[in-house]
Amino acid sequence: MTSIVPDPALKSFLEEATARYEGELARSPNAVAYLKSRGLSEDSAAFYRLGYVENPLPGHETARGMLSVPYLTRSGVVTVRFRRLGDGDGPKYRSVPGDPPRIFNANALLIPSDHVAICEGEFDAIAATEAGIPAVGIAGVSAWKSYFARCFKGYRAVYILADQDDKGQGMEFAEKVAEQIKNARISPMPAGHDVNSFVLAHGPEALLEQLEIKT
C-alpha cells in the first residue's frame, strides 16, 4: 500500500519543484493571463504557490507548459498536480503517477468555522475560499476516498458545491460525497457554471447568498 505521507526525500523534491515553478510563472505571460481569466490575482497565485512548468524537474517532463498546483499542508508540499492552460490539446490535468488522491487546500480545515465547503477541483476550492467560505478541493469523483470523511466531523454544515457545467459528473460527485458525510448539504451551481465561473460571473456575494451564509 502506498503511504499517503511523503517521505523526507520526496517532500524535499516537491518543495524544490514548487519553488522552481513559482519562479517561472512570472516569465510566462500566457500563464499569468490564464490565471487572471480565472479571477486569480498575483497575490492569490503567490498564496497558493501556483507556478508554471517551463524547465521541468526529472519526472515532470510531460507537464512542460502546464500550470503547477501544489497541495500545501502544515508540513509542507505533499504533492503537485498540473493543469493545462485553457482548452488546448492534451490532458486537462496531470497527476504524479502512483500518487494517492489527496485533499487540496487542506489548510482550510484549520480555519475556525462552523461550516466548510467541498468542491470538485482546485480552482473551485480557491474561488470559494476567496469568497469567504473555507473550502477544499477533490480532483474528481474517483479521487474521493471514504477516509476523507473523517476530516469533516464536527461541522454544523458541510456544503458540497456541485458543478453544473458538465454532463452530470458534478452531481455524481456531490451525491457520492454527501452519502458519507454527516450534515452534508448539496448546493448545485446554476446551469452552465462551476464554482469558479459562477463567482466570476456574479461575484462572491452571490455564492454566499446561495448558501445563505452571512458574513
Side-chain angles (χ1 to χ4, degrees):
M1 178 179 176
T2 303
S3 172
I4 63 172
V5 179
D7 62 37
L10 178 55
K11 287 184 68 175
S12 177
F13 172 79
L14 292 169
E15 174 57 38
E16 180 185 358
T18 297
R20 173 182 290 195
Y21 305 148
E22 277 185 288
E24 293 180 340
L25 177 62
R27 298 198 294 271
S28 172
N30 289 340
V32 172
Y34 175 77
L35 291 177
K36 287 183 177 178
S37 76
R38 300 294 297 263
L40 287 171
S41 65
E42 290 183 15
D43 288 343
S44 296
F47 182 82
Y48 292 99
R49 301 191 67 186
L50 304 180
Y52 176 75
V53 186
E54 181 179 355
N55 297 294
L57 287 174
H60 292 170
E61 289 85 357
T62 58
R64 188 188 303 273
M66 302 180 80
L67 292 172
S68 64
V69 184
Y71 279 46
L72 310 177
T73 71
R74 284 187 297 181
S75 64
V77 183
V78 293
T79 194
V80 180
R81 286 231 306 157
F82 304 98
R83 208 278 184 203
R84 187 182 66 206
L85 293 179
D87 299 318
D89 297 327
K92 191 174 185 178
Y93 286 96
R94 289 188 183 276
S95 299
V96 176
D99 197 36
R102 301 180 188 277
I103 296 175
F104 174 75
N105 198 31
N107 289 333
L109 300 172
L110 305 177
I111 298 172
S113 175
D114 65 354
H115 60 266
V116 69
I118 301 175
C119 303
E120 187 183 5
E122 296 91 351
F123 284 96
D124 285 347
I126 292 173
T129 300
E130 296 205 331
I133 306 163
V136 301
I138 305 296
V141 62
S142 62
W144 174 262
K145 300 301 177 184
S146 58
Y147 53 81
F148 289 167
R150 303 176 207 159
C151 299
F152 303 96
K153 291 182 177 180
Y155 286 100
R156 176 185 59 81
V158 180
Y159 299 102
I160 317 298
L161 307 186
D163 294 346
Q164 293 274 60
D165 62 344
D166 50 29
K167 297 180 180 179
Q169 299 97 320
M171 285 302 299
E172 179 188 358
F173 168 81
E175 289 168 359
K176 177 179 180 178
V177 174
E179 287 177 356
Q180 300 177 33
I181 294 180
K182 185 178 180 180
N183 295 333
R185 304 180 188 181
I186 296 177
S187 182
M189 295 296 101
H193 282 291
D194 59 16
V195 180
N196 187 214
S197 67
F198 178 59
V199 171
L200 275 174
H202 301 286
E205 297 80 8
L207 183 60
L208 295 172
E209 288 174 6
Q210 175 164 321
L211 302 181
E212 298 187 1
I213 294 175
K214 297 179 181 180
T215 57

